[in-house]
Amino acid sequence: EAGVTQFPSHSVIEKGQTVTLRCDPISGHDNLYWYRRVMGKEIKFLLHFVKESKQDESGMPNNRFLAERTGGTYSTLKVQPAELEDSGVYFCASSPRQGSPSYEQYFGPGTRLTVT
Amino acid sequence: QKEVEQNSGPLSVPEGAIASLNCTYSDRGSQSFFWYRQYSGKSPELIMFIYSNGDKEDGRFTAQLNKASQYVSLLIRDSQPSDSATYLCAVRYSSASKIIFGSGTRLSIRP
């Protein structure tokens, strides 16, 4: 079974440009999460999809960030326009339909975003 | 106050000894507790979860939970150099909700 995949693995853009990150969850996983780790800080939640619907977007930092999950499959996270403070590692995770309190979120390898 | 607090380390432990990692959390409504291991440049990997008070053992790893004290710990027995990594403590409020991470403790196992 393929794990969570993310593309690109690394992106370097200039301030003011647009970047789109993609996440492909494990097949059949209804729940998809985006997290971010900026330098020196803890991993922080951005938002949560259940299928194609946004369940919780309380962690989205501002309206420069737009997340979509077309058809409840893969998800994209667009940053437009990018600012220096957006640099960090963006992780995607997925998990099966809601179940026991022990069920796991499987993390992808992350996309390292560098804004110069 | 951070929701999940960990000592950033580094924690240096000799090979073969017991490594003890600690974590406290602020929200008494937290239901599930996780320990992730993260190697440099890699994604977090779940190594233990616990949601009942007491101890839970899995191989060389033991997770301990004390909800009254809002305290979670991870013990690694017979530490190996391959255990050198950052260990992230995390909590979750319900079965489908977001995970709240601590900033991680860097563990170094010295030969």
Side-chain angles (χ1 to χ4, degrees):
Chain A
E1 179 184 82
V4 177
T5 58
Q6 293 186 246
F7 183 83
S9 58
H10 193 182
S11 178
V12 181
I13 62 171
E14 293 183 353
K15 176 182 172 181
Q17 290 185 323
T18 297
V19 63
T20 300
L21 314 180
R22 173 169 170 147
C23 168
D24 286 79
I26 293 172
S27 178
H29 281 193
D30 288 343
N31 294 287
L32 187 149
Y33 307 81
W34 283 99
Y35 295 86
R36 175 176 75 169
R37 185 169 199 166
V38 297
M39 182 71 73
K41 301 286 188 181
E42 64 271 22
I43 297 173
K44 287 205 164 182
F45 167 81
L46 296 178
L47 89 159
H48 169 205
F49 283 99
V50 178
K51 296 185 179 179
E52 67 275 8
S53 299
K54 293 176 184 174
Q55 181 77 11
D56 180 358
E57 51 186 327
S58 62
M60 294 289 264
N62 52 60
N63 59 10
R64 294 186 294 103
F65 289 75
L66 175 64
E68 295 180 323
R69 189 179 183 193
T70 307
T73 55
Y74 71 91
S75 174
T76 58
L77 180 64
K78 180 189 289 188
V79 185
Q80 179 182 30
E83 298 289 344
L84 298 178
E85 64 265 26
D86 301 332
S87 296
V89 182
Y90 289 76
F91 291 105
C92 176
S94 72
S95 67
R97 193 188 304 268
Q98 183 171 341
S100 74
S102 62
Y103 83 86
E104 179 176 354
Q105 290 184 19
Y106 296 85
F107 279 77
T111 293
R112 181 174 296 277
L113 175 64
T114 303
V115 183
T116 63
Chain B
Q1 181 191 11
K2 289 187 176 180
E3 293 182 78
V4 180
E5 298 252 22
Q6 295 181 255
N7 188 320
S8 62
L11 174 65
S12 181
V13 173
E15 184 175 356
I18 296 175
S20 178
L21 303 162
N22 305 313
C23 171
T24 58
Y25 60 95
S26 61
D27 192 327
R28 288 189 177 274
S30 303
Q31 285 191 358
S32 307
F33 307 85
F34 305 87
W35 283 99
Y36 284 82
R37 177 176 62 199
Q38 187 175 26
Y39 294 112
S40 181
K42 301 295 184 181
S43 59
E45 173 193 9
L46 181 68
I47 53 172
M48 288 289 287
F49 67 87
I50 187 168
Y51 48 88
S52 299
N53 272 327
D55 295 0
K56 180 182 178 182
E57 185 175 320
D58 183 1
R60 296 187 296 111
F61 299 96
T62 299
Q64 299 174 316
L65 173 61
N66 184 325
K67 290 187 177 181
S69 300
Q70 295 174 246
Y71 178 88
V72 192
S73 66
L74 178 70
L75 301 177
I76 306 174
R77 289 181 299 281
D78 188 23
S79 297
Q80 303 296 310
S82 59
D83 295 327
S84 297
T86 295
Y87 288 80
L88 306 171
C89 175
V91 304
R92 191 172 64 197
Y93 303 122
S94 66
S95 62
S97 72
K98 62 190 177 188
I99 290 176
I100 311 295
F101 285 92
S103 56
T105 298
R106 282 187 295 130
L107 174 65
S108 176
I109 307 300
R110 57 182 190 270

